[in-house]
mmCIF file of all heavy atoms in Angstrom:
data_model
loop_
_atom_site.group_PDB
_atom_site.id
_atom_site.type_symbol
_atom_site.label_atom_id
_atom_site.label_comp_id
_atom_site.label_asym_id
_atom_site.label_seq_id
_atom_site.Cartn_x
_atom_site.Cartn_y
_atom_site.Cartn_z
ATOM 1 N N THR A 166 -125.524 -32.788 -138.321
ATOM 2 C CA THR A 166 -125.322 -32.228 -139.664
ATOM 3 C C THR A 166 -125.431 -33.289 -140.762
ATOM 4 O O THR A 166 -125.243 -34.479 -140.526
ATOM 5 C CB THR A 166 -123.933 -31.548 -139.786
ATOM 6 O OG1 THR A 166 -122.916 -32.504 -139.512
ATOM 7 C CG2 THR A 166 -123.801 -30.384 -138.833
ATOM 8 N N GLY A 167 -125.718 -32.789 -141.959
ATOM 9 C CA GLY A 167 -125.780 -33.635 -143.151
ATOM 10 C C GLY A 167 -125.179 -32.893 -144.333
ATOM 11 O O GLY A 167 -124.614 -31.789 -144.181
ATOM 12 N N ALA A 168 -125.333 -33.473 -145.510
ATOM 13 C CA ALA A 168 -124.634 -32.993 -146.699
ATOM 14 C C ALA A 168 -124.961 -31.536 -147.064
ATOM 15 O O ALA A 168 -124.142 -30.859 -147.687
ATOM 16 C CB ALA A 168 -124.961 -33.904 -147.875
ATOM 17 N N GLY A 169 -126.143 -31.048 -146.659
ATOM 18 C CA GLY A 169 -126.535 -29.676 -147.014
ATOM 19 C C GLY A 169 -125.637 -28.616 -146.412
ATOM 20 O O GLY A 169 -125.565 -27.492 -146.916
ATOM 21 N N ILE A 170 -124.901 -28.967 -145.371
ATOM 22 C CA ILE A 170 -124.017 -27.991 -144.734
ATOM 23 C C ILE A 170 -122.763 -27.768 -145.589
ATOM 24 O O ILE A 170 -122.050 -26.791 -145.420
ATOM 25 C CB ILE A 170 -123.651 -28.459 -143.291
ATOM 26 C CG1 ILE A 170 -123.019 -27.341 -142.489
ATOM 27 C CG2 ILE A 170 -122.799 -29.666 -143.281
ATOM 28 C CD1 ILE A 170 -122.572 -27.750 -141.097
ATOM 29 N N SER A 171 -122.517 -28.681 -146.535
ATOM 30 C CA SER A 171 -121.292 -28.583 -147.346
ATOM 31 C C SER A 171 -121.554 -28.203 -148.805
ATOM 32 O O SER A 171 -120.612 -28.110 -149.589
ATOM 33 C CB SER A 171 -120.543 -29.922 -147.314
ATOM 34 O OG SER A 171 -120.149 -30.260 -146.006
ATOM 35 N N THR A 172 -122.819 -27.984 -149.175
ATOM 36 C CA THR A 172 -123.065 -27.689 -150.603
ATOM 37 C C THR A 172 -122.447 -26.346 -151.003
ATOM 38 O O THR A 172 -121.959 -26.198 -152.121
ATOM 39 C CB THR A 172 -124.573 -27.700 -150.943
ATOM 40 O OG1 THR A 172 -125.272 -26.877 -150.016
ATOM 41 C CG2 THR A 172 -125.147 -29.098 -150.913
ATOM 42 N N ALA A 173 -122.415 -25.377 -150.070
ATOM 43 C CA ALA A 173 -121.814 -24.081 -150.411
ATOM 44 C C ALA A 173 -120.306 -24.217 -150.633
ATOM 45 O O ALA A 173 -119.687 -23.384 -151.289
ATOM 46 C CB ALA A 173 -122.093 -23.058 -149.306
ATOM 47 N N PRO A 177 -121.644 -31.816 -153.731
ATOM 48 C CA PRO A 177 -123.076 -32.080 -153.921
ATOM 49 C C PRO A 177 -123.665 -32.851 -152.751
ATOM 50 O O PRO A 177 -122.955 -33.643 -152.116
ATOM 51 C CB PRO A 177 -123.128 -32.928 -155.198
ATOM 52 C CG PRO A 177 -121.749 -33.429 -155.435
ATOM 53 C CD PRO A 177 -120.802 -32.521 -154.710
ATOM 54 N N ASP A 178 -124.945 -32.617 -152.444
ATOM 55 C CA ASP A 178 -125.594 -33.482 -151.453
ATOM 56 C C ASP A 178 -126.123 -34.715 -152.185
ATOM 57 O O ASP A 178 -125.758 -34.972 -153.342
ATOM 58 C CB ASP A 178 -126.654 -32.717 -150.631
ATOM 59 C CG ASP A 178 -127.872 -32.321 -151.440
ATOM 60 O OD1 ASP A 178 -127.991 -32.734 -152.617
ATOM 61 O OD2 ASP A 178 -128.733 -31.605 -150.902
ATOM 62 N N PHE A 179 -126.983 -35.485 -151.557
ATOM 63 C CA PHE A 179 -127.426 -36.739 -152.168
ATOM 64 C C PHE A 179 -128.794 -36.630 -152.831
ATOM 65 O O PHE A 179 -129.023 -37.142 -153.905
ATOM 66 C CB PHE A 179 -127.460 -37.860 -151.103
ATOM 67 C CG PHE A 179 -126.096 -38.157 -150.564
ATOM 68 C CD1 PHE A 179 -125.608 -37.491 -149.453
ATOM 69 C CD2 PHE A 179 -125.276 -39.074 -151.201
ATOM 70 C CE1 PHE A 179 -124.331 -37.740 -148.978
ATOM 71 C CE2 PHE A 179 -123.992 -39.327 -150.742
ATOM 72 C CZ PHE A 179 -123.527 -38.660 -149.621
ATOM 73 N N ARG A 180 -129.729 -35.921 -152.170
ATOM 74 C CA ARG A 180 -131.122 -36.041 -152.583
ATOM 75 C C ARG A 180 -131.761 -34.768 -153.118
ATOM 76 O O ARG A 180 -132.939 -34.779 -153.443
ATOM 77 C CB ARG A 180 -131.953 -36.611 -151.416
ATOM 78 C CG ARG A 180 -131.532 -38.014 -151.056
ATOM 79 C CD ARG A 180 -132.240 -38.591 -149.859
ATOM 80 N NE ARG A 180 -131.732 -39.933 -149.563
ATOM 81 C CZ ARG A 180 -130.604 -40.184 -148.888
ATOM 82 N NH1 ARG A 180 -129.893 -39.180 -148.409
ATOM 83 N NH2 ARG A 180 -130.206 -41.420 -148.692
ATOM 84 N N SER A 181 -131.014 -33.661 -153.203
ATOM 85 C CA SER A 181 -131.620 -32.468 -153.808
ATOM 86 C C SER A 181 -131.988 -32.789 -155.245
ATOM 87 O O SER A 181 -131.196 -33.398 -155.976
ATOM 88 C CB SER A 181 -130.653 -31.278 -153.748
ATOM 89 O OG SER A 181 -130.650 -30.735 -152.455
ATOM 90 N N PRO A 182 -133.198 -32.398 -155.679
ATOM 91 C CA PRO A 182 -133.675 -32.844 -156.994
ATOM 92 C C PRO A 182 -132.783 -32.430 -158.173
ATOM 93 O O PRO A 182 -132.545 -33.231 -159.061
ATOM 94 C CB PRO A 182 -135.062 -32.190 -157.114
ATOM 95 C CG PRO A 182 -135.423 -31.708 -155.769
ATOM 96 C CD PRO A 182 -134.174 -31.603 -154.946
ATOM 97 N N GLY A 185 -128.449 -33.117 -156.532
ATOM 98 C CA GLY A 185 -128.081 -34.235 -155.649
ATOM 99 C C GLY A 185 -127.446 -35.379 -156.429
ATOM 100 O O GLY A 185 -127.796 -35.639 -157.585
ATOM 101 N N LEU A 186 -126.501 -36.039 -155.766
ATOM 102 C CA LEU A 186 -125.774 -37.137 -156.398
ATOM 103 C C LEU A 186 -126.710 -38.284 -156.810
ATOM 104 O O LEU A 186 -126.691 -38.741 -157.949
ATOM 105 C CB LEU A 186 -124.749 -37.658 -155.374
ATOM 106 C CG LEU A 186 -123.435 -38.198 -155.858
ATOM 107 C CD1 LEU A 186 -122.811 -37.327 -156.930
ATOM 108 C CD2 LEU A 186 -122.488 -38.317 -154.664
ATOM 109 N N TYR A 187 -127.543 -38.730 -155.877
ATOM 110 C CA TYR A 187 -128.439 -39.847 -156.195
ATOM 111 C C TYR A 187 -129.450 -39.424 -157.262
ATOM 112 O O TYR A 187 -129.778 -40.199 -158.164
ATOM 113 C CB TYR A 187 -129.209 -40.324 -154.956
ATOM 114 C CG TYR A 187 -128.367 -40.951 -153.876
ATOM 115 C CD1 TYR A 187 -128.819 -40.987 -152.563
ATOM 116 C CD2 TYR A 187 -127.138 -41.527 -154.165
ATOM 117 C CE1 TYR A 187 -128.050 -41.576 -151.557
ATOM 118 C CE2 TYR A 187 -126.367 -42.105 -153.167
ATOM 119 C CZ TYR A 187 -126.829 -42.129 -151.868
ATOM 120 O OH TYR A 187 -126.082 -42.697 -150.869
ATOM 121 N N GLU A 199 -128.194 -45.529 -154.913
ATOM 122 C CA GLU A 199 -127.515 -45.791 -153.633
ATOM 123 C C GLU A 199 -126.554 -46.978 -153.731
ATOM 124 O O GLU A 199 -125.736 -47.188 -152.848
ATOM 125 C CB GLU A 199 -128.548 -46.075 -152.525
ATOM 126 C CG GLU A 199 -129.370 -44.877 -152.093
ATOM 127 C CD GLU A 199 -130.628 -44.712 -152.950
ATOM 128 O OE1 GLU A 199 -130.692 -45.303 -154.053
ATOM 129 O OE2 GLU A 199 -131.522 -43.976 -152.521
ATOM 130 N N PHE A 202 -122.951 -46.948 -152.872
ATOM 131 C CA PHE A 202 -122.559 -47.064 -151.468
ATOM 132 C C PHE A 202 -123.099 -48.366 -150.852
ATOM 133 O O PHE A 202 -123.460 -48.381 -149.681
ATOM 134 C CB PHE A 202 -123.055 -45.856 -150.662
ATOM 135 C CG PHE A 202 -122.375 -44.566 -151.044
ATOM 136 C CD1 PHE A 202 -122.997 -43.662 -151.884
ATOM 137 C CD2 PHE A 202 -121.107 -44.272 -150.568
ATOM 138 C CE1 PHE A 202 -122.360 -42.474 -152.240
ATOM 139 C CE2 PHE A 202 -120.465 -43.096 -150.920
ATOM 140 C CZ PHE A 202 -121.097 -42.192 -151.763
ATOM 141 N N THR A 249 -122.194 -36.025 -137.161
ATOM 142 C CA THR A 249 -122.272 -35.689 -138.583
ATOM 143 C C THR A 249 -122.445 -36.950 -139.421
ATOM 144 O O THR A 249 -121.913 -38.006 -139.083
ATOM 145 C CB THR A 249 -121.025 -34.908 -139.057
ATOM 146 O OG1 THR A 249 -121.166 -34.621 -140.456
ATOM 147 C CG2 THR A 249 -119.724 -35.689 -138.858
ATOM 148 N N GLN A 250 -123.200 -36.786 -140.507
ATOM 149 C CA GLN A 250 -123.327 -37.893 -141.461
ATOM 150 C C GLN A 250 -122.304 -37.731 -142.576
ATOM 151 O O GLN A 250 -122.184 -38.584 -143.441
ATOM 152 C CB GLN A 250 -124.730 -37.887 -142.090
ATOM 153 C CG GLN A 250 -125.831 -38.149 -141.097
ATOM 154 C CD GLN A 250 -127.187 -37.789 -141.675
ATOM 155 O OE1 GLN A 250 -127.903 -38.632 -142.171
ATOM 156 N NE2 GLN A 250 -127.540 -36.528 -141.614
ATOM 157 N N ASN A 251 -121.591 -36.617 -142.559
ATOM 158 C CA ASN A 251 -120.726 -36.301 -143.694
ATOM 159 C C ASN A 251 -119.376 -37.000 -143.603
ATOM 160 O O ASN A 251 -118.852 -37.228 -142.515
ATOM 161 C CB ASN A 251 -120.536 -34.785 -143.790
ATOM 162 C CG ASN A 251 -121.858 -34.078 -144.016
ATOM 163 O OD1 ASN A 251 -122.820 -34.720 -144.425
ATOM 164 N ND2 ASN A 251 -121.916 -32.789 -143.756
ATOM 165 N N ILE A 252 -118.842 -37.289 -144.779
ATOM 166 C CA ILE A 252 -117.548 -37.974 -144.848
ATOM 167 C C ILE A 252 -116.482 -37.015 -145.362
ATOM 168 O O ILE A 252 -115.391 -37.426 -145.709
ATOM 169 C CB ILE A 252 -117.648 -39.228 -145.758
ATOM 170 C CG1 ILE A 252 -118.231 -38.857 -147.134
ATOM 171 C CG2 ILE A 252 -118.488 -40.308 -145.094
ATOM 172 C CD1 ILE A 252 -118.282 -40.017 -148.113
ATOM 173 N N HIS A 270 -121.361 -41.848 -140.143
ATOM 174 C CA HIS A 270 -121.271 -42.684 -141.347
ATOM 175 C C HIS A 270 -119.815 -42.911 -141.751
ATOM 176 O O HIS A 270 -119.525 -43.160 -142.912
ATOM 177 C CB HIS A 270 -122.078 -42.051 -142.486
ATOM 178 C CG HIS A 270 -123.556 -42.020 -142.185
ATOM 179 N ND1 HIS A 270 -124.474 -41.334 -142.944
ATOM 180 C CD2 HIS A 270 -124.274 -42.590 -141.186
ATOM 181 C CE1 HIS A 270 -125.686 -41.489 -142.426
ATOM 182 N NE2 HIS A 270 -125.586 -42.239 -141.353
ATOM 183 N N ILE A 313 -115.906 -45.851 -144.539
ATOM 184 C CA ILE A 313 -117.192 -45.173 -144.721
ATOM 185 C C ILE A 313 -118.265 -46.228 -144.546
ATOM 186 O O ILE A 313 -118.087 -47.357 -145.017
ATOM 187 C CB ILE A 313 -117.273 -44.584 -146.145
ATOM 188 C CG1 ILE A 313 -116.315 -43.412 -146.286
ATOM 189 C CG2 ILE A 313 -118.690 -44.176 -146.509
ATOM 190 C CD1 ILE A 313 -116.147 -42.967 -147.716
ATOM 191 N N VAL A 314 -119.351 -45.871 -143.869
ATOM 192 C CA VAL A 314 -120.407 -46.867 -143.632
ATOM 193 C C VAL A 314 -121.261 -47.003 -144.896
ATOM 194 O O VAL A 314 -121.864 -46.029 -145.349
ATOM 195 C CB VAL A 314 -121.299 -46.446 -142.449
ATOM 196 C CG1 VAL A 314 -122.344 -47.511 -142.167
ATOM 197 C CG2 VAL A 314 -120.450 -46.188 -141.203
ATOM 198 N N PHE A 315 -121.257 -48.185 -145.465
ATOM 199 C CA PHE A 315 -122.112 -48.446 -146.617
ATOM 200 C C PHE A 315 -123.477 -48.929 -146.116
ATOM 201 O O PHE A 315 -123.619 -49.309 -144.947
ATOM 202 C CB PHE A 315 -121.475 -49.515 -147.512
ATOM 203 C CG PHE A 315 -120.437 -48.981 -148.475
ATOM 204 C CD1 PHE A 315 -119.794 -47.772 -148.252
ATOM 205 C CD2 PHE A 315 -120.102 -49.680 -149.623
ATOM 206 C CE1 PHE A 315 -118.844 -47.276 -149.145
ATOM 207 C CE2 PHE A 315 -119.160 -49.205 -150.533
ATOM 208 C CZ PHE A 315 -118.527 -47.995 -150.291
ATOM 209 N N PHE A 316 -124.461 -48.931 -147.014
ATOM 210 C CA PHE A 316 -125.796 -49.386 -146.605
ATOM 211 C C PHE A 316 -125.731 -50.817 -146.063
ATOM 212 O O PHE A 316 -125.035 -51.665 -146.602
ATOM 213 C CB PHE A 316 -126.792 -49.294 -147.760
ATOM 214 C CG PHE A 316 -127.232 -47.878 -147.993
ATOM 215 C CD1 PHE A 316 -126.761 -47.149 -149.081
ATOM 216 C CD2 PHE A 316 -128.073 -47.236 -147.092
ATOM 217 C CE1 PHE A 316 -127.138 -45.830 -149.271
ATOM 218 C CE2 PHE A 316 -128.454 -45.911 -147.269
ATOM 219 C CZ PHE A 316 -127.989 -45.212 -148.351
ATOM 220 N N LEU A 340 -128.720 -29.246 -139.057
ATOM 221 C CA LEU A 340 -128.346 -28.457 -140.242
ATOM 222 C C LEU A 340 -128.147 -29.341 -141.475
ATOM 223 O O LEU A 340 -127.365 -30.308 -141.435
ATOM 224 C CB LEU A 340 -127.027 -27.713 -140.000
ATOM 225 C CG LEU A 340 -126.969 -26.666 -138.899
ATOM 226 C CD1 LEU A 340 -126.314 -27.236 -137.656
ATOM 227 C CD2 LEU A 340 -126.183 -25.463 -139.348
ATOM 228 N N GLY A 341 -128.833 -28.995 -142.566
ATOM 229 C CA GLY A 341 -128.548 -29.570 -143.881
ATOM 230 C C GLY A 341 -128.670 -31.070 -144.009
ATOM 231 O O GLY A 341 -127.797 -31.720 -144.570
ATOM 232 N N THR A 342 -129.752 -31.632 -143.504
ATOM 233 C CA THR A 342 -129.966 -33.072 -143.698
ATOM 234 C C THR A 342 -131.430 -33.358 -143.996
ATOM 235 O O THR A 342 -132.320 -32.689 -143.468
ATOM 236 C CB THR A 342 -129.520 -33.899 -142.468
ATOM 237 O OG1 THR A 342 -129.943 -35.267 -142.659
ATOM 238 C CG2 THR A 342 -130.094 -33.383 -141.158
ATOM 239 N N SER A 343 -131.651 -34.390 -144.838
ATOM 240 C CA SER A 343 -133.030 -34.770 -145.152
ATOM 241 C C SER A 343 -133.597 -35.691 -144.072
ATOM 242 O O SER A 343 -134.776 -36.033 -144.122
ATOM 243 C CB SER A 343 -133.072 -35.481 -146.509
ATOM 244 O OG SER A 343 -132.263 -36.652 -146.467
ATOM 245 N N LEU A 344 -132.768 -36.114 -143.130
ATOM 246 C CA LEU A 344 -133.182 -37.037 -142.061
ATOM 247 C C LEU A 344 -133.931 -38.252 -142.637
ATOM 248 O O LEU A 344 -135.001 -38.614 -142.162
ATOM 249 C CB LEU A 344 -134.049 -36.329 -141.003
ATOM 250 C CG LEU A 344 -133.344 -35.341 -140.071
ATOM 251 C CD1 LEU A 344 -134.339 -34.743 -139.065
ATOM 252 C CD2 LEU A 344 -132.186 -35.977 -139.302
ATOM 253 N N THR A 345 -133.350 -38.848 -143.678
ATOM 254 C CA THR A 345 -133.992 -40.037 -144.261
ATOM 255 C C THR A 345 -133.245 -41.318 -143.901
ATOM 256 O O THR A 345 -133.758 -42.408 -144.155
ATOM 257 C CB THR A 345 -134.070 -39.965 -145.804
ATOM 258 O OG1 THR A 345 -132.809 -39.568 -146.303
ATOM 259 C CG2 THR A 345 -135.131 -39.029 -146.278
ATOM 260 N N VAL A 346 -132.028 -41.197 -143.389
ATOM 261 C CA VAL A 346 -131.231 -42.402 -143.168
ATOM 262 C C VAL A 346 -131.122 -42.694 -141.668
ATOM 263 O O VAL A 346 -130.697 -41.860 -140.887
ATOM 264 C CB VAL A 346 -129.842 -42.243 -143.826
ATOM 265 C CG1 VAL A 346 -128.944 -43.415 -143.488
ATOM 266 C CG2 VAL A 346 -130.000 -42.145 -145.336
ATOM 267 N N PHE A 365 -132.070 -25.787 -139.514
ATOM 268 C CA PHE A 365 -131.575 -24.904 -140.581
ATOM 269 C C PHE A 365 -131.510 -25.768 -141.838
ATOM 270 O O PHE A 365 -130.549 -26.532 -142.031
ATOM 271 C CB PHE A 365 -130.173 -24.384 -140.257
ATOM 272 C CG PHE A 365 -130.070 -23.551 -139.007
ATOM 273 C CD1 PHE A 365 -129.757 -24.135 -137.783
ATOM 274 C CD2 PHE A 365 -130.267 -22.183 -139.059
ATOM 275 C CE1 PHE A 365 -129.642 -23.364 -136.640
ATOM 276 C CE2 PHE A 365 -130.160 -21.401 -137.910
ATOM 277 C CZ PHE A 365 -129.851 -21.995 -136.701
ATOM 278 N N ASN A 366 -132.488 -25.674 -142.691
ATOM 279 C CA ASN A 366 -132.531 -26.563 -143.861
ATOM 280 C C ASN A 366 -133.388 -25.936 -144.955
ATOM 281 O O ASN A 366 -134.243 -25.102 -144.681
ATOM 282 C CB ASN A 366 -133.121 -27.928 -143.452
ATOM 283 C CG ASN A 366 -132.612 -29.069 -144.306
ATOM 284 O OD1 ASN A 366 -131.396 -29.234 -144.465
ATOM 285 N ND2 ASN A 366 -133.506 -29.840 -144.875
ATOM 286 N N MET A 367 -133.162 -26.391 -146.173
ATOM 287 C CA MET A 367 -133.967 -25.895 -147.298
ATOM 288 C C MET A 367 -135.436 -26.266 -147.127
ATOM 289 O O MET A 367 -136.316 -25.598 -147.633
ATOM 290 C CB MET A 367 -133.468 -26.489 -148.617
ATOM 291 C CG MET A 367 -132.136 -25.947 -149.074
ATOM 292 S SD MET A 367 -132.288 -24.204 -149.479
ATOM 293 C CE MET A 367 -130.674 -23.905 -150.165
ATOM 294 N N GLU A 368 -135.675 -27.384 -146.454
ATOM 295 C CA GLU A 368 -137.046 -27.893 -146.369
ATOM 296 C C GLU A 368 -137.279 -28.435 -144.969
ATOM 297 O O GLU A 368 -136.324 -28.762 -144.253
ATOM 298 C CB GLU A 368 -137.232 -29.023 -147.391
ATOM 299 C CG GLU A 368 -136.152 -30.082 -147.188
ATOM 300 C CD GLU A 368 -136.102 -31.167 -148.237
ATOM 301 O OE1 GLU A 368 -137.127 -31.399 -148.892
ATOM 302 O OE2 GLU A 368 -135.045 -31.809 -148.368
ATOM 303 N N VAL A 370 -137.978 -31.238 -142.406
ATOM 304 C CA VAL A 370 -137.650 -32.677 -142.432
ATOM 305 C C VAL A 370 -137.949 -33.320 -141.083
ATOM 306 O O VAL A 370 -138.002 -32.638 -140.054
ATOM 307 C CB VAL A 370 -136.154 -32.915 -142.782
ATOM 308 C CG1 VAL A 370 -135.834 -32.486 -144.190
ATOM 309 C CG2 VAL A 370 -135.222 -32.213 -141.793
ATOM 310 N N GLY A 384 -134.372 -22.458 -145.591
ATOM 311 C CA GLY A 384 -133.552 -21.727 -146.557
ATOM 312 C C GLY A 384 -132.123 -22.213 -146.436
ATOM 313 O O GLY A 384 -131.847 -23.264 -145.848
ATOM 314 N N ASP A 385 -131.240 -21.433 -146.992
ATOM 315 C CA ASP A 385 -129.816 -21.761 -146.989
ATOM 316 C C ASP A 385 -129.275 -21.710 -145.555
ATOM 317 O O ASP A 385 -129.498 -20.729 -144.837
ATOM 318 C CB ASP A 385 -129.186 -20.717 -147.917
ATOM 319 C CG ASP A 385 -127.723 -20.547 -147.740
ATOM 320 O OD1 ASP A 385 -127.043 -21.534 -147.487
ATOM 321 O OD2 ASP A 385 -127.261 -19.400 -147.881
ATOM 322 N N CYS A 386 -128.601 -22.778 -145.117
ATOM 323 C CA CYS A 386 -128.214 -22.833 -143.692
ATOM 324 C C CYS A 386 -127.183 -21.777 -143.334
ATOM 325 O O CYS A 386 -127.170 -21.293 -142.194
ATOM 326 C CB CYS A 386 -127.752 -24.235 -143.285
ATOM 327 S SG CYS A 386 -126.375 -24.889 -144.212
ATOM 328 N N ASP A 387 -126.335 -21.385 -144.282
ATOM 329 C CA ASP A 387 -125.352 -20.338 -143.953
ATOM 330 C C ASP A 387 -126.053 -19.026 -143.599
ATOM 331 O O ASP A 387 -125.632 -18.306 -142.692
ATOM 332 C CB ASP A 387 -124.397 -20.115 -145.134
ATOM 333 C CG ASP A 387 -123.430 -21.286 -145.321
ATOM 334 O OD1 ASP A 387 -123.316 -22.115 -144.396
ATOM 335 O OD2 ASP A 387 -122.796 -21.365 -146.381
ATOM 336 N N ARG A 426 -123.786 -20.553 -157.470
ATOM 337 C CA ARG A 426 -123.320 -21.768 -156.779
ATOM 338 C C ARG A 426 -124.082 -22.997 -157.267
ATOM 339 O O ARG A 426 -123.528 -24.066 -157.410
ATOM 340 C CB ARG A 426 -123.478 -21.611 -155.271
ATOM 341 C CG ARG A 426 -122.242 -21.006 -154.635
ATOM 342 C CD ARG A 426 -122.320 -21.043 -153.144
ATOM 343 N NE ARG A 426 -123.102 -19.949 -152.617
ATOM 344 C CZ ARG A 426 -124.004 -20.055 -151.658
ATOM 345 N NH1 ARG A 426 -124.268 -21.216 -151.123
ATOM 346 N NH2 ARG A 426 -124.658 -19.006 -151.217
ATOM 347 N N GLN A 427 -125.381 -22.812 -157.547
ATOM 348 C CA GLN A 427 -126.183 -23.921 -158.065
ATOM 349 C C GLN A 427 -125.610 -24.399 -159.398
ATOM 350 O O GLN A 427 -125.535 -25.594 -159.654
ATOM 351 C CB GLN A 427 -127.643 -23.467 -158.277
ATOM 352 C CG GLN A 427 -128.451 -23.401 -157.015
ATOM 353 C CD GLN A 427 -128.729 -24.790 -156.443
ATOM 354 O OE1 GLN A 427 -128.088 -25.199 -155.474
ATOM 355 N NE2 GLN A 427 -129.648 -25.526 -157.019
ATOM 356 N N LEU A 430 -122.450 -26.337 -158.769
ATOM 357 C CA LEU A 430 -122.769 -27.668 -158.244
ATOM 358 C C LEU A 430 -123.299 -28.567 -159.344
ATOM 359 O O LEU A 430 -122.977 -29.746 -159.429
ATOM 360 C CB LEU A 430 -123.835 -27.551 -157.150
ATOM 361 C CG LEU A 430 -123.375 -27.571 -155.702
ATOM 362 C CD1 LEU A 430 -124.581 -27.490 -154.787
ATOM 363 C CD2 LEU A 430 -122.575 -28.831 -155.376
ATOM 364 N N GLU A 475 -139.333 -42.199 -149.311
ATOM 365 C CA GLU A 475 -138.738 -41.124 -148.522
ATOM 366 C C GLU A 475 -139.792 -40.239 -147.892
ATOM 367 O O GLU A 475 -139.683 -39.813 -146.758
ATOM 368 C CB GLU A 475 -137.816 -40.271 -149.402
ATOM 369 C CG GLU A 475 -136.494 -40.958 -149.662
ATOM 370 C CD GLU A 475 -135.650 -40.226 -150.684
ATOM 371 O OE1 GLU A 475 -136.158 -39.270 -151.308
ATOM 372 O OE2 GLU A 475 -134.508 -40.621 -150.865
ATOM 373 N N LEU A 495 -126.834 -48.986 -141.290
ATOM 374 C CA LEU A 495 -127.288 -47.855 -142.082
ATOM 375 C C LEU A 495 -128.429 -48.302 -142.987
ATOM 376 O O LEU A 495 -128.281 -49.238 -143.761
ATOM 377 C CB LEU A 495 -126.135 -47.365 -142.944
ATOM 378 C CG LEU A 495 -126.328 -46.037 -143.627
ATOM 379 C CD1 LEU A 495 -126.144 -44.929 -142.607
ATOM 380 C CD2 LEU A 495 -125.333 -45.870 -144.748
ATOM 381 N N GLU A 497 -132.271 -46.953 -145.109
ATOM 382 C CA GLU A 497 -133.230 -45.910 -145.431
ATOM 383 C C GLU A 497 -134.609 -46.276 -144.937
ATOM 384 O O GLU A 497 -135.536 -45.516 -145.077
ATOM 385 C CB GLU A 497 -133.263 -45.673 -146.939
ATOM 386 C CG GLU A 497 -132.060 -44.905 -147.416
ATOM 387 C CD GLU A 497 -132.255 -44.379 -148.810
ATOM 388 O OE1 GLU A 497 -132.067 -45.175 -149.740
ATOM 389 O OE2 GLU A 497 -132.593 -43.211 -148.974
HETATM 390 P P1 LIG B 750 -129.428 -35.458 -148.300
HETATM 391 O O1 LIG B 750 -128.936 -35.140 -149.656
HETATM 392 O O2 LIG B 750 -130.340 -36.602 -148.149
HETATM 393 O O3 LIG B 750 -130.147 -34.183 -147.681
HETATM 394 C C1 LIG B 750 -129.550 -32.908 -147.710
HETATM 395 C C2 LIG B 750 -130.552 -31.895 -147.163
HETATM 396 O O4 LIG B 750 -129.916 -30.639 -147.091
HETATM 397 C C3 LIG B 750 -131.797 -31.730 -148.026
HETATM 398 O O5 LIG B 750 -132.923 -31.623 -147.197
HETATM 399 C C4 LIG B 750 -131.515 -30.405 -148.765
HETATM 400 O O6 LIG B 750 -132.714 -29.706 -149.077
HETATM 401 C C5 LIG B 750 -130.718 -29.662 -147.745
HETATM 402 N N1 LIG B 750 -129.778 -28.660 -148.273
HETATM 403 C C6 LIG B 750 -128.985 -28.725 -149.370
HETATM 404 N N2 LIG B 750 -128.212 -27.627 -149.469
HETATM 405 C C7 LIG B 750 -128.531 -26.841 -148.400
HETATM 406 C C8 LIG B 750 -128.076 -25.573 -147.932
HETATM 407 N N3 LIG B 750 -127.134 -24.874 -148.555
HETATM 408 N N4 LIG B 750 -128.650 -25.076 -146.797
HETATM 409 C C9 LIG B 750 -129.621 -25.764 -146.139
HETATM 410 N N5 LIG B 750 -130.070 -26.964 -146.531
HETATM 411 C C10 LIG B 750 -129.518 -27.498 -147.640
HETATM 412 O O7 LIG B 750 -128.124 -35.630 -147.372
HETATM 413 P P2 LIG B 750 -128.028 -36.314 -145.942
HETATM 414 O O8 LIG B 750 -129.255 -36.077 -145.142
HETATM 415 O O9 LIG B 750 -126.730 -35.912 -145.373
HETATM 416 O O10 LIG B 750 -124.771 -41.859 -146.524
HETATM 417 O O11 LIG B 750 -127.969 -37.849 -146.352
HETATM 418 C C11 LIG B 750 -127.853 -38.850 -145.378
HETATM 419 C C12 LIG B 750 -127.008 -39.996 -145.891
HETATM 420 O O12 LIG B 750 -127.536 -40.471 -147.113
HETATM 421 C C13 LIG B 750 -125.584 -39.630 -146.216
HETATM 422 O O13 LIG B 750 -124.737 -39.622 -145.086
HETATM 423 C C14 LIG B 750 -125.178 -40.675 -147.210
HETATM 424 C C15 LIG B 750 -126.461 -40.880 -147.974
HETATM 425 O O14 LIG B 750 -126.688 -42.179 -148.357
HETATM 426 C C16 LIG B 750 -123.619 -42.445 -146.952
HETATM 427 O O15 LIG B 750 -123.040 -42.122 -147.929
HETATM 428 C C17 LIG B 750 -123.106 -43.545 -146.109
#
Side-chain angles (χ1 to χ4, degrees):
T166 59
I170 194 183
S171 298
T172 51
D178 69 7
F179 296 90
R180 296 176 182 81
S181 282
L186 213 44
Y187 294 157
E199 290 88 343
F202 293 100
T249 180
Q250 295 166 97
N251 299 342
I252 53 177
H270 295 170
I313 290 169
V314 183
F315 277 21
F316 283 106
L340 297 100
T342 172
S343 60
L344 288 181
T345 47
V346 174
F365 298 92
N366 208 52
M367 289 294 187
E368 54 188 337
V370 294
D385 161 36
C386 58
D387 289 346
R426 270 189 278 136
Q427 282 291 103
L430 261 182
E475 283 172 352
L495 192 77
E497 285 194 279

